[in-house]
């Protein structure tokens, strides 16, 4: 068996991956809160943004953590189509869960369905990403740790969606995102502890792309998307703020419907500069 190193760069990749998970969770929760206060097309757009944020955050967390993954005795490559498919799965299945919560009338049922769907989607993304690994040897999984990682994913997803439904204060959302990020990271490393690799020494070239050729640039790009979207959401007024602005404008605008019904003589006396009519 080859020796597995989950943190080849020390604490850098675990901490950075945790930060990505927290940012994605925080952005997704804020967008879901905005969606619940909106209707029609606006709600749909906020839910789409929430799904892309959470899915991107989870995917980026996984592959940033994989930057520090190594196996003694073999190089590692990544299958590009499978890696991209794992990203699509992450955003698509999270989207199903978010829309179930955003449009469901029975909140308890919607929460359970959304949490189960999203959790299984997160686990599927993780193991699809692991299936994209190319190395000299065979990857084996401990079924107990695999099952535990799926349970953690479902619980974490359900807790995140519950927070989106019940927690609206910015400070509370920030705390919930920290917990969500910890849960997602725990799911990832639990799944990684399930892995063992039987190395078969070989001098043949491995198919696929290296971490620096593909994973790193894509992770940086998606991380930038999260930061830019976070800034947009932070600067975008909430429904309450828009209503307050509209109310303030109505109070300050002159009432064009007002009619001056004062007698002509009164108007002339009030305005001494006005020339009286002949």
């Amino acid at each position: 068996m080859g020796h597995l190193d989950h943190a080849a760069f020390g604490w850098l990749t675990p901490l950075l991956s945790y930060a990505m998970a927290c940012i994605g969770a925080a952005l997704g929760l804020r967008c879901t809160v905005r969606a619940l206060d909106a209707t029609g097309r606006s709600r749909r757009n906020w839910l789409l943004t929430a799904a892309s944020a959470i899915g991107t955050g989870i995917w980026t967390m996984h592959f940033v953590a994989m930057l520090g993954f190594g196996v003694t005795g073999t190089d590692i490559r990544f299958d590009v189509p499978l890696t991209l498919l794992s990203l699509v799965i992450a955003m698509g299945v999270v989207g199903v869960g978010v829309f179930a919560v955003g449009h469901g009338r029975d909140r308890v049922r919607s929460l359970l369905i959304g949490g189960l769907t999203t959790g299984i989607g997160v686990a599927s993304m993780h193991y699809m990403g692991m299936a994209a690994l190319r190395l000299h040897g065979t990857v084996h999984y401990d079924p107990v740790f695999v099952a535990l990682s799926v349970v953690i994913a479902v619980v974490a997803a359900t807790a995140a969606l519950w927070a989106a439904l019940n927690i609206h204060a910015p400070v509370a959302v920030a705390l919930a995102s920290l917990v969500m990020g910890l849960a997602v990271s725990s799911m990832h490393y639990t799944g990684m502890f399930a892995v063992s690799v039987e190395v078969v020494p070989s001098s043949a070239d491995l198919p696929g792309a290296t971490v620096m050729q593909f994973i790193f640039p894509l992770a940086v790009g998606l991380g930038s998307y999260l930061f830019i979207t976070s800034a947009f959401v932070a600067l975008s007024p909430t429904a309450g703020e828009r209503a307050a602005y509209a109310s303030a404008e109505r109070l300050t605008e002159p009432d064009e419907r007002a009619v001056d019904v004062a007698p002509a003589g009164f108007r002339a006396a009030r305005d001494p500069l006005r020339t009286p009519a002949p």
Side-chain angles (χ1 to χ4, degrees), residues 203-223:
S203 59
D205 292 334
L206 288 167
T210 65
V211 168
M212 292 302 173
Q213 286 175 338
F214 175 60
I215 299 299
F216 181 73
L218 186 57
V220 170
L222 293 176

Side-chain angles (χ1 to χ4, degrees), residues 8-274:
F9 300 103
W11 284 99
L12 176 62
T13 49
L15 290 177
L16 185 57
S17 63
Y18 172 67
M20 292 294 102
C22 290
I23 292 171
L27 180 56
L29 292 178
R30 289 302 298 166
C31 290
T32 306
V33 169
R34 297 288 187 91
L36 295 175
D37 291 334
T39 57
R41 182 179 299 178
S42 179
R43 171 172 287 196
R44 181 201 64 189
N45 292 339
W46 279 118
L47 290 175
L48 287 173
T49 305
S52 66
I54 296 174
T56 299
I58 292 170
W59 188 94
T60 306
M61 177 272 146
H62 171 81
F63 281 100
V64 167
M66 291 301 291
L67 294 175
F69 178 72
V71 181
T72 303
T74 179
D75 293 329
I76 292 178
R77 298 289 186 273
F78 289 89
D79 182 281
V80 174
L82 279 180
T83 303
L84 293 176
L85 179 59
S86 69
L87 174 60
V88 173
I89 289 175
M91 291 191 292
V93 182
V94 169
V96 172
V98 169
F99 271 82
V101 169
H103 289 286
R105 295 185 178 182
D106 186 339
R107 286 203 167 187
V108 175
R109 181 181 178 184
S110 299
L111 179 62
L112 294 176
I113 293 175
L116 180 62
T117 303
T118 303
I120 292 175
V122 170
S124 300
M125 180 281 302
H126 174 87
Y127 290 106
M128 179 67 72
M130 292 301 295
L133 280 178
R134 297 292 179 263
L135 46 76
H136 294 303
T138 305
V139 178
H140 302 280
Y141 292 93
D142 184 326
V144 174
F145 279 100
V146 170
L148 181 58
S149 69
V150 175
V151 170
I152 293 174
V154 171
V155 172
T158 304
L161 294 176
W162 177 89
L165 287 174
N166 296 280
I167 298 177
H168 291 179
V171 174
V173 169
L175 292 175
S177 67
L178 294 177
V179 175
M180 178 62 179
L182 180 61
V184 172
S185 298
S186 299
M187 177 268 159
H188 170 83
Y189 285 105
T190 300
M192 293 307 295
F193 288 144
V195 175
S196 60
V197 178
E198 184 178 352
V199 176
V200 178
S202 174
S203 59
D205 292 334
L206 288 167
T210 65
V211 168
M212 292 302 173
Q213 286 175 338
F214 175 60
I215 299 299
F216 181 73
L218 186 57
V220 170
L222 293 176
S224 301
Y225 162 77
L226 288 176
F227 281 107
I228 293 172
T229 308
S230 297
F232 168 77
V233 173
L235 296 174
S236 177
T238 63
E241 291 171 342
R242 286 196 298 270
Y245 295 154
S247 177
E249 287 179 358
R250 285 195 298 270
L251 291 175
T252 56
E253 285 179 355
D255 191 351
E256 296 179 354
R257 295 172 300 175
V259 178
D260 190 354
V261 295
F266 178 80
R267 289 197 299 269
R270 185 180 58 183
D271 188 1
L273 297 180
R274 183 173 177 177

